[in-house]
């Protein structure tokens, strides 16, 4: 009985700690040097007087959308391929995918830099999008989830005359909606906070995504950084709010029924 | 039959081609750097780069800090994630479930601003410490730097791991728990004999994810300190980043090769364990 209560209290405590940073930025965003103790001045300045915020915000939006548009479809295909078929070299390739997933970006910074230089992409938006768009995390997550798809179902589809791609598109993909949602949300969160690639592959401030600007050039924001941080958090928090159920089901790898 | 043999690869191919062009091929082509010397006309240098790297103080510090961070952070994340997952599997806790994933959704840059406000010199935490007569604690640049990073890492990722474990634990049949749920000592036996064996496979999965997220701590470190973190927070990612700026490609590639070999070795052990567990469970 005692142990039960302790666990409950610790969970409540941890949940509150999780909300602390959010509360911290909100509190910070409501202050501005002036007569009023609480003011929306920072928001006004960030939205109306600061071009840096807009360019950074749009760069983040574009990068994230393009990464998702490439990464999610190819990861769904790869996850299906890894989980439902055997082919020569599959285990080795899968292992390579997990190594790539764990590898920090800095381990391939030199060769990627050279490739981007040779293809003339260095300094452009694509220099930060393409390396991230082929990250293997989503493929790993989806293949773990797709392992739960029953063989019988796919075989039944084959008997009904569905081709292999139709099996994927008509049967597997709809069944994996929670996992696909989870992959979209997690890749979104990760791309939204992208820092590693921009700081080495970009040089013009006008191309930097907002997180890099916020941490590197706080002076550009003229005391409105907390408000910019909150405005920047709105999209991921909304996404989290509306995808919550699928996200939780997708990441807990609940078996496909 | 012959056609069937390669069907899986066709599905993997689009992803593999992209990864191949942007990561796999570049990485293998850069291995050469680790064994050569000189710019322009490179000559074979054997293991000279490795010897030089091991003597490099910055590298040693970076390896030490990275390993310490992983050793402190990852096991804590896995154990706390499991305990929290067990609690979540037991109760509904709608609000708590929602709150513990918020740090994952909150962009790193915004979260850091928040933590700096909370843990800063004039923040509420230091206010509390002073209230009880303690000295002001510098959480970010003092001796606490790495501990603070471990804390940020835990808060950010614990929710995800707990939800993973909660899913695994709640799929256990209810009667198992009822047979044990009497007092706290049988509760611990229940944990050891029923829960732990049944989430073994999940533990490995969580370990792999935790390791991945532990390398992403670079975002927090960069957000807090830029290119110059304090000694305690100087990790391999910074070592490699800074050598990239200084154009020390050979040193960087040598460090990268060693890191990838290390990750591969750890992963090989994980996968070997997983296959053993899968074989034991007869899947």
């Amino acid at each position: 009985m005692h142990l039960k209560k302790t666990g409950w209290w610790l969970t409540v405590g941890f949940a509150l700690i999780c909300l602390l940073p959010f509360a911290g930025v909100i509190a910070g965003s409501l202050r501005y040097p002036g007569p009023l103790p609480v003011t929306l001045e920072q928001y006004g300045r960030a939205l109306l007087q600061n071009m840096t915020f807009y360019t950074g915000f749009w760069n983040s939006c574009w990068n994230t959308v393009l990464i998702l548009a490439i990464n999610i479809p190819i990861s769904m295909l790869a996850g299906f391929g890894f989980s439902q078929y055997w082919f020569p070299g599959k285990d080795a390739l899968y292992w390579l995918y997990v190594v790539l997933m764990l590898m920090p970006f800095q381990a391939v910074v030199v060769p990627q830099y050279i490739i981007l230089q040779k293809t003339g992409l260095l300094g452009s938006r694509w220099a930060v999008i393409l390396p991230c768009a082929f990250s293997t995390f989503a493929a790993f997550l989806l293949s773990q989830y797709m392992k739960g798809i029953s063989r019988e179902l796919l075989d039944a589809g084959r008997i009904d005359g569905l081709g292999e791609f139709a099996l994927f598109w008509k049967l597997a993909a709809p069944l994996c909606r929670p996992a696909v949602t989870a992959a979209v949300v997690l890749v979104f969160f990760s791309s939204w906070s992208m820092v590693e690639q921009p700081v080495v592959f970009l040089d013009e401030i006008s191309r930097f995504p907002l997180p890099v600007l916020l941490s590197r050039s706080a002076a550009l924001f003229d005391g409105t950084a907390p408000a910019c941080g909150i405005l920047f958090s709105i999209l991921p928090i909304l996404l989290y709010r509306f995808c919550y159920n699928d996200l939780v089901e997708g990441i807990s790898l609940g078996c496909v029924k | 039959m012959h056609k069937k043999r390669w069907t899986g690869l066709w599905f993997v191919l689009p992803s593999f081609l992209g990864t191949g062009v942007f990561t796999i091929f570049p990485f293998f082509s850069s291995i050469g750097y680790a064994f050569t010397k000189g710019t322009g006309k490179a000559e074979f240098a054997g293991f000279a780069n490795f010897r030089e790297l091991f003597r490099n103080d910055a590298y040693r510090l970076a390896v030490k800090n990275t390993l310490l961070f992983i050793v402190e952070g990852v096991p804590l994340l896995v154990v706390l994630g499991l305990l929290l997952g067990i609690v979540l599997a037991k109760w509904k806790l709608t609000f708590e479930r929602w709150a513990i994933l918020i740090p994952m959704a909150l962009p790193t840059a915004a979260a850091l601003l928040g933590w700096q406000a909370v843990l800063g010199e004039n923040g509420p935490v230091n206010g509390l410490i002073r209230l009880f007569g303690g000295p002001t604690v510098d959480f970010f640049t003092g001796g606490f730097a790495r501990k603070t990073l471990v804390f940020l890492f835990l808060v950010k990722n614990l929710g995800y791991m707990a939800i993973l474990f909660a899913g695994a634990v709640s799929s256990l049949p209810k009667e198992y728990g009822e047979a044990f749920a009497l007092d706290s000592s049988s509760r611990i036996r229940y944990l050891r004999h029923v829960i732990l064996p049944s989430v073994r496979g999940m533990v490995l999965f969580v370990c792999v994810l935790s390791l991945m997220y532990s390398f992403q701590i670079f975002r927090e470190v960069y957000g807090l300190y830029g290119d110059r973190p304090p000694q305690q927070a100087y990790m391999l990612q910074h070592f490699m980043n800074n050598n990239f700026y200084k154009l020390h490609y050979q040193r960087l590639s040598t460090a990268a090769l060693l890191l990838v070999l290390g990750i591969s070795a750890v992963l090989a052990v994980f996968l070997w364990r997983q296959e053993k567990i899968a074989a034991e469970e007869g899947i």
Side-chain angles (χ1 to χ4, degrees), chain B residues 53 56-69 140-142 145-147 149 217-218 221-222 225-246 248 251-252 255:
Chain B
L53 187 68
N56 185 310
D57 286 334
Y59 179 71
R60 286 186 186 185
L61 178 68
V63 170
K64 190 185 101 183
N65 282 334
T66 310
L67 286 178
L68 279 174
F69 179 77
F140 292 104
T141 51
R146 201 184 55 245
K147 301 259 180 312
L149 287 175
I217 195 69
F218 176 74
V221 182
Y222 190 86
Y225 313 110
D227 289 322
R228 297 175 188 286
Q231 279 235 325
Q232 282 248 328
Y234 183 78
M235 295 197 228
L236 266 175
Q237 294 94 308
H238 257 98
F239 174 79
M240 296 199 280
N241 230 25
N242 293 352
N243 274 295
F244 176 77
Y245 288 136
K246 288 189 239 153
H248 291 317
R251 187 188 289 162
L252 166 52

Side-chain angles (χ1 to χ4, degrees), chain A residues 127-144:
Chain A
V128 295
I129 291 173
L130 287 175
C132 296
F134 297 109
S135 112
T136 57
F137 170 68
F140 172 73
L141 190 75
L142 287 166
S143 90
Q144 288 286 331

Side-chain angles (χ1 to χ4, degrees), chain A residues 199-235:
Chain A
V199 299
V200 287
F201 292 154
L202 299 178
D203 41 23
E204 283 171 57
I205 284 229
S206 65
R207 296 207 190 278
F208 278 147
L210 196 59
V212 181
L213 293 170
L214 275 175
S215 54
R216 179 141 118 171
S217 343
L220 287 174
F221 293 94
D222 191 24
T224 63
C228 293
I230 288 292
L231 293 169
F232 189 59
S233 310
I234 291 177
L235 269 182

Side-chain angles (χ1 to χ4, degrees), chain A:
Chain A
M1 203 61 217
H2 203 66
L3 209 62
K4 243 167 120 178
K5 266 268 152 48
T6 323
W8 188 81
W9 276 112
L10 287 177
T11 308
V12 174
F14 178 66
L16 292 177
I17 291 179
C18 286
L19 296 177
L20 264 184
F22 205 17
V25 219
I26 293 181
S29 74
L30 295 174
R31 276 198 297 268
Y32 200 80
L36 297 166
V38 170
T39 156
L40 291 177
E41 176 119 16
Q42 273 195 35
Y43 290 91
R45 285 179 180 261
L47 288 174
L48 300 174
Q49 297 178 3
N50 200 329
M51 276 312 285
T52 324
F53 174 75
Y54 279 105
T55 47
F57 189 84
W58 279 117
N59 286 335
S60 288
C61 287
W62 270 115
N63 293 349
T64 306
V65 166
L66 291 171
I67 288 171
L68 284 171
I70 300 174
N71 187 243
I72 297 302
I74 62 170
S75 300
M76 285 169 71
L77 286 169
F80 189 69
F82 276 129
S83 64
Q84 302 303 326
Y85 300 92
W86 183 88
F87 52 87
K90 183 188 116 166
D91 291 338
L93 191 60
Y94 191 65
W95 184 70
L96 185 65
Y97 261 57
V98 186
V99 172
L100 290 176
M101 177 182 97
L102 292 177
M103 200 163 69
F105 158 74
Q106 286 80 9
V108 284
V109 56
V110 174
Q112 262 182 14
Y113 184 85
I114 294 171
I115 289 257
L116 291 168
Q117 204 171 32
K118 280 190 180 147
T119 48
L121 294 171
L122 202 66
S124 79
R125 191 189 296 298
W126 294 102
V128 295
I129 291 173
L130 287 175
C132 296
F134 297 109
S135 112
T136 57
F137 170 68
F140 172 73
L141 190 75
L142 287 166
S143 90
Q144 288 286 331
Y145 192 88
M146 286 181 178
K147 276 182 191 163
I149 299 177
S150 77
R151 281 286 132 109
E152 290 80 26
L153 181 77
L154 293 185
D155 284 338
R158 285 195 184 99
I159 291 166
D160 285 347
L162 289 180
E164 299 298 315
F165 187 76
L167 287 179
F168 163 74
W169 187 241
K170 296 219 169 100
L171 291 177
L175 272 177
C176 294
R177 200 192 66 178
V180 175
T181 310
V184 169
V185 173
L186 293 177
V187 173
F188 183 100
F189 290 164
S190 159
S191 317
W192 198 243
S193 289
M194 176 164 63
V195 165
E196 295 91 334
Q197 291 84 359
V199 299
V200 287
F201 292 154
L202 299 178
D203 41 23
E204 283 171 57
I205 284 229
S206 65
R207 296 207 190 278
F208 278 147
L210 196 59
V212 181
L213 293 170
L214 275 175
S215 54
R216 179 141 118 171
S217 343
L220 287 174
F221 293 94
D222 191 24
T224 63
C228 293
I230 288 292
L231 293 169
F232 189 59
S233 310
I234 291 177
L235 269 182
I237 296 284
L238 280 180
L239 189 69
Y240 173 61
R241 160 76 185 74
F242 287 107
C243 299
Y244 178 77
N245 288 328
D246 276 347
L247 174 71
V248 168
E249 200 189 323
I251 65 177
S252 61
L253 304 177
C255 294
V256 183
K257 269 116 210 163

